[in-house]
Amino acid sequence: MERMTFTTDRTTVTEGDIVEVRWNCPDASSVELTIDNGYKASMIPLELAGDKRFRLNRSKGRTRLTLTAHVEGKPYSKIIRVKVKELPVTKAETVDHQGRTMSRLRQWMNMPKWQSLWRNYRQARMAMPKEKRLASRVLLLLGAVLLLATWMPKLLGVGILTVAAYLTWVMLKR
């Protein structure tokens, strides 16, 4: 179709930029625009003539704009490819109150998450029934004994006796 026009204001953009599309298909019965960014294709019905603006966000490098005009039942298409450059990534860094860059170790040490993690653990432990608290304490003791016994096997007997003494004390106390 010779009288069909299809243009864009730019053919190279950065992710997030807006492209203006203009078209004119005076002989068509219907017009549609397909936008294919490499991930997903969307089809939009259009008027016979006009202009629209589209923000091109995500793309696999090129976005294909296809204008299809239907004239007497036959489809006629024009394609414009828009190169979409990735948005440049800026490396962020953390600074302290004096404006000095903080290393990852300093950032990790200053995290209040560890404090809240310990607080959450204590709150969850206090919400447990007494039997479960006792079982968790005994499990922690046994784990410590077994860990120490891997380095000093002679401590295994002493550790088991310590756990038994603790359980005896718990039984007599109640």
Side-chain angles (χ1 to χ4, degrees):
M1 185 167 115
E2 295 175 17
R3 293 183 35 188
M4 182 170 132
T5 60
F6 180 44
T7 60
T8 61
D9 62 340
R10 301 190 271 175
T11 56
T12 302
V13 296
T14 303
E15 284 181 343
D17 286 351
I18 294 175
V19 172
E20 186 170 355
V21 177
R22 290 183 198 89
W23 69 95
N24 186 14
C25 306
D27 299 332
S29 57
S30 66
V31 179
E32 59 191 35
L33 175 68
T34 304
I35 303 172
D36 185 359
N37 64 3
Y39 295 102
K40 179 181 175 187
S42 301
M43 193 274 300
I44 303 163
L46 301 173
E47 300 292 324
L48 299 182
D51 60 85
K52 278 193 180 279
R53 296 170 56 140
F54 298 97
R55 183 177 309 274
L56 301 181
N57 289 323
R58 187 171 171 227
S59 176
K60 287 190 175 179
R62 288 202 182 274
T63 295
R64 189 175 68 207
L65 305 170
T66 306
L67 184 75
T68 304
H70 298 277
V71 179
E72 297 175 2
K74 292 182 180 180
Y76 296 92
S77 297
K78 284 196 176 182
I79 297 173
I80 297 177
R81 288 178 176 80
V82 178
K83 182 178 180 180
V84 182
K85 297 183 220 167
E86 276 190 52
L87 192 63
V89 178
T90 305
K91 183 181 177 189
E93 56 183 35
T94 305
V95 294
D96 62 9
H97 62 283
Q98 295 174 345
R100 296 177 302 193
T101 301
M102 293 177 66
S103 68
R104 289 196 187 269
L105 179 63
R106 278 185 58 207
Q107 290 176 36
W108 181 72
M109 296 296 283
N110 289 337
M111 275 190 208
K113 294 177 184 175
W114 295 108
Q115 295 166 355
S116 64
L117 185 65
W118 176 250
R119 190 178 317 117
N120 290 345
Y121 166 74
R122 283 184 34 212
Q123 288 174 353
R125 195 169 166 276
M126 293 311 289
M128 281 189 222
K130 287 183 180 183
E131 297 83 17
K132 282 192 176 184
R133 277 193 302 228
L134 174 64
S136 69
R137 213 175 288 136
V138 170
L139 186 62
L140 183 64
L141 277 171
L142 280 172
V145 165
L146 291 173
L147 186 63
L148 283 173
T150 59
W151 286 298
M152 296 178 262
K154 293 180 181 180
L155 287 180
L156 182 61
V158 174
I160 298 283
L161 283 174
T162 305
V163 172
Y166 173 72
L167 289 173
T168 304
W169 176 74
V170 168
M171 285 188 339
L172 293 176
K173 183 178 118 177
R174 293 185 180 178

